[in-house]
Amino acid sequence: MTKIFFDVDGVLIDGWHADPSRRKPWDATIEADLGVDRAAFGNLFFGRAGGRSNSLMAECISGKRDLAEALAEVLPEVGYHGDAKDFMRYWFEKDSNLNSEVFDLIGGIRSSGSVVELYVATGQEHHRARFLWNELGFSKLFDRMFYSAEIRYPKKDIRFFEAINSRLSIGAGECPIFFDDQPEIVAVARQAGWDAIPFASASDVRQHPRLRHLWASE
């Protein structure tokens, strides 16, 4: 049975993207909306360029820190004095711009009765992962979501993909299909035996050689 995996940010959600020219920042109006110093928050929480792997957000995504607690440490320094969970709600709702073209394709696969399994493989911390699955409706389309905080390894670590291989009993020749916007993540997934594709648009899904037959009757 064909297994198809999708990344979230840059694929399922049209917001952050590996290509800076395609990014649609969730925090574009954060100063006007919440009084938060956008640049200061970005540096303190997400880290400066070249140091993001050691940031507070990186610790949350790896399951080492709770997002609400980490935010509570930083937010007062950047002008926000409300509850961290209210800030998280603002963040998650702003960062929920679904890629409708991709979801149309996924919905078509799901409703067609095709013998495929649909999964999410993403770098997320626990709170947003639950928001995506329960409130944004991912649970209605996907069989399961695998995310870094739950697996305890970031996606750039091959052990992230090896853990999924183990949990789903993916054999060496199965080559699950995977769409991700980050070339470096695509390279790691390929090392784990995945048929990983750099994602730019929904056409990458539609035109994949192993998936074209799903739309042959259109």
Side-chain angles (χ1 to χ4, degrees):
M1 182 179 294
T2 302
K3 294 178 174 62
I4 311 172
F5 290 79
F6 298 86
D7 175 39
V8 173
D9 299 297
V11 180
L12 295 177
I13 287 184
D14 192 12
W16 192 92
H17 194 282
D19 179 357
S21 69
R22 298 188 61 188
R23 292 176 188 170
K24 298 176 181 177
W26 64 268
D27 59 349
T29 61
I30 198 169
E31 290 198 43
D33 295 341
L34 302 180
V36 170
D37 184 324
R38 183 185 179 200
F41 174 66
N43 290 333
L44 284 172
F45 196 73
F46 294 100
R48 298 177 184 274
R52 298 187 187 280
S53 61
N54 297 317
S55 67
L56 283 173
M57 187 59 179
E59 292 186 5
C60 295
I61 286 176
S62 298
K64 297 174 183 177
R65 294 286 304 273
D66 178 78
L67 180 63
E69 294 177 1
L71 283 170
E73 293 181 12
V74 170
L75 290 175
E77 298 183 45
V78 297
Y80 184 83
H81 301 285
D83 188 277
K85 291 187 177 180
D86 292 334
F87 182 90
M88 285 162 50
R89 168 64 61 173
Y90 170 91
W91 173 357
F92 299 165
E93 291 180 350
K94 285 283 189 177
D95 206 7
S96 296
N97 183 29
L98 298 179
N99 188 323
S100 60
E101 292 183 18
V102 174
F103 272 89
D104 285 346
L105 292 175
I106 293 169
I109 295 172
R110 180 59 79 198
S111 62
S112 69
S114 301
V115 184
V116 298
E117 294 176 355
L118 300 172
Y119 297 99
V120 179
T122 179
Q124 302 292 334
E125 52 74 45
H126 296 295
H127 294 277
R128 187 166 183 240
R130 287 193 292 267
F131 177 86
L132 295 170
W133 192 251
N134 297 318
E135 298 191 45
L136 213 54
F138 281 24
S139 62
K140 298 176 182 177
L141 288 174
F142 298 99
D143 295 291
R144 186 171 174 183
M145 178 165 64
F146 297 92
Y147 64 98
S148 54
E150 185 260 335
I151 292 177
R152 306 287 290 187
Y153 292 111
K155 282 170 61 185
K156 65 181 180 181
D157 190 320
I158 195 171
R159 289 173 291 185
F160 174 88
F161 296 98
E162 289 174 342
I164 299 174
N165 285 343
S166 177
R167 295 181 188 189
L168 293 179
S169 300
I170 295 173
E174 190 169 344
C175 296
I177 299 169
F178 178 47
F179 298 97
D180 195 289
D181 63 304
Q182 298 185 68
E184 63 271 27
I185 301 299
V186 167
V188 173
R190 288 174 176 172
Q191 292 175 24
W194 289 30
D195 180 4
I197 307 298
F199 178 90
S201 71
S203 64
D204 295 312
V205 180
R206 179 182 285 275
Q207 296 175 9
H208 190 285
R210 293 169 59 193
L211 301 179
R212 287 176 186 162
H213 69 280
L214 296 173
W215 299 280
S217 61
E218 293 184 1

